[in-house]
């Protein structure tokens, strides 16, 4: 019951702000714009669901209008794998940002990373060119992906390089990423 009424409220909010006048067309016009975290989990979704922790802003790609806040369970109601993937990536990136703000060391673990997170960082330019990657950011990405997939312990020098990439390049990137509030 709760899900049904949530969906009714969500879909009417989405349709009202869309060009399409039915859910079937309207729900394809939207993308995730940004995410914020409410550690007190007090926020309320446009559908009326309360106690949200992750607050998404969705943007209509055709009109530019935005809806906020949207809870992650409502993002799932769009039934779009691309949006669900972005939810996972953005939540990890927010975790990295928060950890960096409280001066915790970022580690290359599933707590903070997935393959999709590393790819997102690479595609968005987190790995800046420098002499250590021979001015080819892909070297940083390939290195971190190999370390993330590695089943054996990293050598001391691999650990040092990983730590520098995460705690300088990745931390610098998440601090200026406009998708993370
Ligand atoms: Zn909702």
């Amino acid at each position: 019951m709760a899900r049904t009424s949530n969906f009714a409220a969500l879909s009417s909010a989405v349709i009202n702000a869309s060009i399409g006048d039915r859910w079937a067309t309207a729900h394809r016009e939207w993308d995730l714009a940004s995410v914020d975290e409410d550690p007190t989990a007090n926020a309320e979704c446009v559908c009326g669901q309360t106690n949200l922790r992750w607050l998404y802003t969705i943007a209509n790609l055709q009109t530019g209008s935005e809806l906020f806040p949207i809870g992650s369970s409502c993002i799932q109601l769009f039934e779009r794998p691309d949006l669900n993937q972005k939810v996972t990536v953005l939540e990890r990136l927010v975790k990295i940002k928060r950890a960096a703000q409280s001066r915790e060391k970022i580690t290359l673990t599933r707590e903070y990373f997935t393959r999709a997170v590393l790819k997102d960082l690479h595609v968005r330019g987190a790995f800046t060119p420098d002499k250590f990657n021979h001015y080819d950011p892909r070297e940083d990405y390939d290195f971190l992906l190999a370390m993330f997939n590695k089943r054996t312990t990293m050598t001391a020098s691999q650990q040092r390089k990983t730590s520098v990439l995460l705690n300088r390049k990745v931390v610098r990137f998440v601090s200026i990423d406009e998708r993370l509030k």
Side-chain angles (χ1 to χ4, degrees):
M1 281 304 284
R3 169 145 292 210
T4 310
S5 65
N6 282 359
F7 180 73
L10 172 76
S11 62
S12 73
V14 166
I15 291 166
N16 283 339
S18 297
I19 294 171
D21 58 1
R22 290 170 299 130
W23 175 254
T25 46
H27 86 288
R28 294 202 197 97
E29 297 175 20
W30 297 80
D31 194 10
L32 282 194
S34 62
V35 62
D36 196 0
E37 184 186 12
D38 176 5
T40 63
N42 265 323
E44 182 178 331
C45 182
V46 298
C47 76
Q49 191 196 334
T50 52
N51 304 118
L52 299 187
R53 182 181 184 92
W54 300 99
L55 319 177
Y56 287 89
T57 300
I58 59 172
N60 187 296
L61 296 171
Q62 297 175 45
T63 66
S65 59
E66 295 190 336
L67 286 173
F68 172 87
I70 307 281
S72 39
S73 62
C74 268
I75 302 291
Q76 287 173 11
L77 295 178
F78 281 73
E79 296 184 318
R80 282 185 35 198
D82 59 326
L83 294 187
N84 293 338
Q85 172 86 287
K86 279 183 186 172
V87 163
T88 310
V89 168
L90 291 186
E91 286 183 5
R92 296 293 210 294
L93 293 179
V94 168
K95 266 192 187 172
I96 294 171
K97 183 174 178 172
R98 297 282 180 268
Q101 283 168 339
S102 47
R103 301 191 177 279
E104 285 165 42
K105 199 168 179 291
I106 313 300
T107 51
L108 191 61
T109 54
R110 296 203 167 271
E111 185 184 357
Y112 298 116
F113 293 94
T114 64
R115 288 181 189 87
V117 169
L118 290 172
K119 176 120 191 234
D120 179 88
L121 288 165
H122 174 51
V123 168
R124 291 194 165 251
F127 305 121
T128 47
D130 58 27
K131 65 181 176 186
F132 302 105
N133 59 29
H134 310 95
Y135 302 96
D136 180 4
R138 177 150 201 121
E139 280 196 20
D140 289 344
Y141 169 62
D142 287 343
F143 173 80
L144 286 177
L145 189 60
M147 293 304 108
F148 186 72
N149 291 334
K150 205 166 167 0
R151 292 178 180 277
T152 52
T153 315
M154 283 186 241
T155 66
S157 85
Q158 286 171 338
Q159 275 173 17
R160 267 195 307 277
K161 182 169 174 173
T162 299
S163 178
V164 168
L165 290 175
L166 299 188
N167 292 284
R168 292 193 194 154
K169 292 190 179 184
V170 172
V171 163
R172 181 177 53 206
F173 177 79
V174 296
S175 75
I176 57 167
D177 188 339
E178 290 176 346
R179 298 171 300 169
L180 315 174
K181 301 302 175 191

